[in-house]
Amino acid sequence: MNVIAAKEANIKKAESLINEAAMAGSEIVVLPEMWNCPYSNDFFGQYSEVEGEATYEFLSKMAKSLNIYLVGGSIPEIDNGKVYNTSYSFDRNGKLIGKHRKIHLFDIDIEAGIRFMESETLTAGNQSTVINTEFGRIGIGICFDIRFPELFRKMTLAGAKLIILPGAFNMTTGPAHWELTIRARALDNQVYFAACSPARSMEGPYVAFGNSCISNPWGELCGKTDANESNVYADIDFEYVDKIRNQLPLLKARKPDVY
Amino acid sequence: MNVIAAKEANIKKAESLINEAAMAGSEIVVLPEMWNCPYSNDFFGQYSEVEGEATYEFLSKMAKSLNIYLVGGSIPEIDNGKVYNTSYSFDRNGKLIGKHRKIHLFDIDIEAGIRFMESETLTAGNQSTVINTEFGRIGIGICFDIRFPELFRKMTLAGAKLIILPGAFNMTTGPAHWELTIRARALDNQVYFAACSPARSMEGPYVAFGNSCISNPWGELCGKTDANESNVYADIDFEYVDKIRNQLPLLKARKPDVY
């Protein structure tokens, strides 16, 4: 989705896109990173909400009214004066079943490319997040978390067969690393990996790469869009995960005593 | 290189290609996996050598006479009645500076694809291998080892800035996973990653994918060939590794207490 400065308009837009996805038959719906707030250190504090406030309430109601699982992208959360980049997940009854605070803050300074220091305003989470659903277990990460293979291995060993990652890569690292890293995490862990970005807009303070996509456990994209606003759909076959893991038994072949 | 059934001819071919590489200015030369022996459980035992025998001796002499570092691909090694898939590395004086025994044996059974069970004849190694050179530290893995991100993270944390992997992927996993995994390991660990395969031959018991290539620490290929026999060259810039690690400080941003 396109994210703009007006929080209320972002919520309206999310409502419309979630409705569209549910009407198309989606049972698990995912929003992008920081979808109710411009992606900028200037806004995270101002847009932040305590858990349970308006945006949270909206997400819970949408999940319940549409009878879907809703992974609510991420929004700025404030707790005891600290601001986090937080993803809330809800079940079909609108009940919170997972909360992930971005563990790895986005601090980067590329020569002739992007500079961004999330740690100037945000506090990092310190826990890996795996949620339970009727389909199986799902790992949740946020954007820069994707850079760290250890985290996704941990989720996988905790039973995740699908990993969902709201993320807003940029115009330096997006073209170079977004699809490569998504496919590699899926392949190495033999999971589906769904990464959901805001659409690209040249008007905001941060130009997201877009290109939301889903990789299957063989490392092939099975759903993909471009930089423009649109829903992306994929069939997630948890039995195919088991099949791949039987044919190419990577997880059983690990040698944890060596590393 | 093309690997054929005759061991002596394979050694002659290796001699010619190593000479060519050294004449072109290479200071580190790499051979592919199982380059003196057909890639088949029927031959590993028969072709195996005790450490220090003919093939080892050949490699050591080549390194010394050409004043190069030589990562001798891999050959079947026999030790106490057990056969290993082993890579010997030599310095400019022909002195052994590293020995890696493939840790993860290639046991795979893909529906409508390849079946291969290395563990029917080979014994696995149990140690990560990093060698010291005048340029910096170099990690060594063999083929299926590449599937396990933990191993390459361990090498990286042990100081590797270049990883060398003799490997013979096949016509099922090669097109699907070879380049993706090489680039992802390089990017995640911010290292150069050089993977050296036998050339593709439709005549032997195992059809290698070929496509030897080198990725730089930004996840871009900086050297590449196709399925045919040829040397592949790349400039390895250890200072560029440091530059990438400073601009995108992934290794410092790890959260080992979380995973």
Side-chain angles (χ1 to χ4, degrees):
Chain A
M1 64 178 276
N2 278 317
V3 177
I4 60 173
K7 189 196 275 193
E8 275 309 312
N10 286 325
I11 292 176
K12 282 276 173 219
K13 171 62 69 67
E15 182 177 5
S16 154
L17 291 167
I18 296 167
N19 269 317
E20 181 186 306
M23 291 311 115
S26 303
E27 297 185 278
I28 304 172
V29 177
V30 182
L31 292 174
E33 185 183 21
M34 288 292 179
W35 61 270
N36 74 348
C37 167
Y39 194 83
S40 158
N41 280 320
D42 296 340
F43 296 102
F44 296 147
Q46 177 188 332
Y47 279 65
S48 66
E49 298 179 17
V50 173
E51 183 171 322
E53 287 190 320
T55 305
Y56 176 106
E57 185 67 9
F58 158 75
L59 292 168
S60 170
K61 281 188 178 160
M62 288 299 289
K64 184 171 184 178
S65 69
L66 295 169
N67 191 34
I68 56 171
Y69 288 90
L70 182 55
V71 177
S74 79
I75 60 175
E77 175 206 6
I78 187 159
D79 182 19
N80 271 320
K82 290 180 177 165
V83 181
Y84 300 89
N85 185 336
T86 300
S87 179
Y88 299 107
S89 295
F90 301 89
D91 71 9
R92 295 181 187 274
N93 297 312
K95 187 181 151 237
L96 184 73
I97 53 170
K99 174 180 180 176
H100 180 70
R101 287 172 169 170
K102 188 177 191 176
I103 299 168
H104 304 88
L105 297 180
F106 180 54
D107 288 344
I108 181 174
D109 189 2
I110 307 282
E111 190 178 296
I114 188 172
R115 181 186 185 279
F116 201 104
M117 294 286 158
E118 265 190 347
S119 62
E120 289 172 359
T121 61
L122 297 182
T123 300
N126 56 15
Q127 281 184 55
S128 166
T129 306
V130 175
I131 65 177
N132 290 311
T133 73
E134 69 202 70
F135 307 109
R137 309 197 87 187
I138 301 174
I140 310 286
I142 299 176
C143 201
F144 204 55
D145 286 339
I146 199 176
R147 294 289 193 172
F148 303 87
E150 299 93 330
L151 178 62
F152 300 89
R153 187 61 110 202
K154 182 173 181 173
M155 293 176 185
T156 301
L157 296 176
K161 294 186 178 176
L162 162 63
I163 288 168
I164 290 173
L165 183 118
F169 267 42
N170 54 73
M171 297 306 295
T172 303
T173 60
H177 301 157
W178 174 249
E179 188 179 312
L180 172 65
T181 309
I182 290 163
R183 292 176 58 211
R185 296 286 172 270
L187 172 61
D188 287 342
N189 295 298
Q190 309 189 297
V191 295
Y192 284 90
F193 197 108
C196 184
S197 171
R200 190 180 307 164
S201 162
M202 308 313 280
E203 286 161 30
Y206 178 94
V207 180
F209 178 57
N211 285 274
S212 297
C213 62
I214 300 121
S215 174
N216 73 16
W218 191 246
E220 295 165 323
L221 292 189
C222 58
K224 182 172 172 44
T225 186
D226 54 19
N228 298 313
E229 182 171 278
S230 70
N231 280 333
V232 188
Y233 299 95
D235 290 321
I236 307 297
D237 180 355
F238 282 71
E239 286 175 18
Y240 181 62
V241 171
D242 297 333
K243 187 174 161 185
I244 292 291
R245 290 179 179 184
N246 282 331
Q247 294 184 3
L248 180 65
L250 297 184
L251 299 174
K252 281 184 227 161
R254 294 173 63 246
K255 299 283 183 74
D257 48 324
V258 178
Y259 15 84
Chain B
M1 64 178 275
N2 278 318
V3 176
I4 61 173
K7 189 194 274 194
E8 275 309 313
N10 287 325
I11 291 176
K12 282 274 172 221
K13 172 62 70 68
E15 182 177 6
S16 153
L17 290 167
I18 295 167
N19 270 317
E20 180 185 308
M23 292 312 113
S26 303
E27 296 185 279
I28 304 172
V29 177
V30 182
L31 291 173
E33 185 183 20
M34 287 294 179
W35 61 269
N36 74 347
C37 167
Y39 194 83
S40 158
N41 281 320
D42 296 340
F43 296 103
F44 296 147
Q46 178 188 331
Y47 280 66
S48 65
E49 299 179 17
V50 173
E51 184 170 322
E53 288 190 320
T55 305
Y56 176 105
E57 184 67 10
F58 158 75
L59 292 168
S60 170
K61 281 189 178 159
M62 288 298 289
K64 184 171 184 176
S65 69
L66 295 169
N67 191 33
I68 55 171
Y69 288 92
L70 180 56
V71 177
S74 80
I75 61 174
E77 174 205 7
I78 188 159
D79 180 20
N80 271 318
K82 290 181 178 163
V83 181
Y84 301 88
N85 186 336
T86 299
S87 179
Y88 298 108
S89 296
F90 301 89
D91 70 10
R92 296 182 187 272
N93 297 314
K95 185 179 154 238
L96 184 73
I97 52 169
K99 173 180 179 175
H100 181 70
R101 288 172 167 169
K102 190 178 189 174
I103 298 168
H104 303 88
L105 298 180
F106 180 52
D107 289 345
I108 182 174
D109 188 2
I110 306 281
E111 191 179 294
I114 187 171
R115 181 187 183 281
F116 201 104
M117 293 287 157
E118 264 190 347
S119 61
E120 289 171 359
T121 61
L122 297 183
T123 300
N126 57 13
Q127 282 185 54
S128 167
T129 306
V130 175
I131 64 177
N132 291 311
T133 73
E134 69 202 67
F135 308 110
R137 308 197 85 186
I138 301 175
I140 310 286
I142 299 177
C143 201
F144 204 55
D145 286 338
I146 200 177
R147 294 290 192 172
F148 302 88
E150 299 92 331
L151 178 61
F152 300 90
R153 187 63 110 201
K154 182 173 180 172
M155 293 175 185
T156 301
L157 296 177
K161 293 186 178 178
L162 162 63
I163 289 168
I164 290 173
L165 184 118
F169 267 41
N170 55 72
M171 297 306 295
T172 303
T173 59
H177 300 157
W178 174 249
E179 187 179 312
L180 172 65
T181 308
I182 291 163
R183 292 176 58 212
R185 296 287 173 268
L187 173 61
D188 287 342
N189 294 298
Q190 310 189 294
V191 295
Y192 284 90
F193 198 108
C196 183
S197 172
R200 189 179 305 165
S201 162
M202 308 312 281
E203 287 161 29
Y206 178 95
V207 180
F209 178 57
N211 284 274
S212 298
C213 62
I214 301 120
S215 174
N216 73 17
W218 191 245
E220 296 164 322
L221 293 189
C222 58
K224 182 170 172 45
T225 185
D226 54 20
N228 299 313
E229 181 172 279
S230 70
N231 280 333
V232 187
Y233 299 95
D235 290 320
I236 306 298
D237 179 355
F238 282 71
E239 285 175 18
Y240 181 61
V241 170
D242 297 333
K243 186 174 162 187
I244 292 291
R245 290 179 180 184
N246 281 331
Q247 293 184 2
L248 179 66
L250 297 183
L251 299 174
K252 281 184 226 160
R254 293 173 65 247
K255 298 283 182 78
D257 48 324
V258 178
Y259 15 84

mmCIF file of all heavy atoms in Angstrom, chain B residues 101 122 175 221:
data_model
loop_
_atom_site.group_PDB
_atom_site.id
_atom_site.type_symbol
_atom_site.label_atom_id
_atom_site.label_comp_id
_atom_site.label_asym_id
_atom_site.label_seq_id
_atom_site.Cartn_x
_atom_site.Cartn_y
_atom_site.Cartn_z
ATOM 1 N N ARG B 101 37.681 -31.679 5.687
ATOM 2 C CA ARG B 101 36.899 -32.855 5.312
ATOM 3 C C ARG B 101 35.437 -32.443 5.262
ATOM 4 O O ARG B 101 34.907 -31.897 6.236
ATOM 5 C CB ARG B 101 37.077 -33.965 6.347
ATOM 6 C CG ARG B 101 38.453 -34.622 6.284
ATOM 7 C CD ARG B 101 38.643 -35.573 7.446
ATOM 8 N NE ARG B 101 39.813 -36.445 7.259
ATOM 9 C CZ ARG B 101 40.318 -37.214 8.216
ATOM 10 N NH1 ARG B 101 39.761 -37.236 9.427
ATOM 11 N NH2 ARG B 101 41.365 -37.978 7.973
ATOM 12 N N LEU B 122 31.130 -42.580 2.159
ATOM 13 C CA LEU B 122 32.012 -41.571 2.766
ATOM 14 C C LEU B 122 31.701 -41.351 4.247
ATOM 15 O O LEU B 122 30.586 -41.587 4.707
ATOM 16 C CB LEU B 122 31.876 -40.232 2.024
ATOM 17 C CG LEU B 122 32.301 -40.203 0.553
ATOM 18 C CD1 LEU B 122 32.169 -38.787 -0.009
ATOM 19 C CD2 LEU B 122 33.742 -40.701 0.383
ATOM 20 N N PRO B 175 20.708 -25.463 -11.352
ATOM 21 C CA PRO B 175 19.971 -24.320 -11.913
ATOM 22 C C PRO B 175 19.111 -23.620 -10.856
ATOM 23 O O PRO B 175 18.927 -22.412 -10.900
ATOM 24 C CB PRO B 175 19.089 -24.975 -12.985
ATOM 25 C CG PRO B 175 19.774 -26.264 -13.316
ATOM 26 C CD PRO B 175 20.446 -26.720 -12.060
ATOM 27 N N LEU B 221 27.967 -11.114 -8.536
ATOM 28 C CA LEU B 221 28.989 -11.949 -9.150
ATOM 29 C C LEU B 221 30.090 -11.062 -9.733
ATOM 30 O O LEU B 221 29.810 -10.089 -10.432
ATOM 31 C CB LEU B 221 28.387 -12.829 -10.245
ATOM 32 C CG LEU B 221 27.417 -13.908 -9.749
ATOM 33 C CD1 LEU B 221 27.062 -14.857 -10.887
ATOM 34 C CD2 LEU B 221 27.969 -14.693 -8.562
#
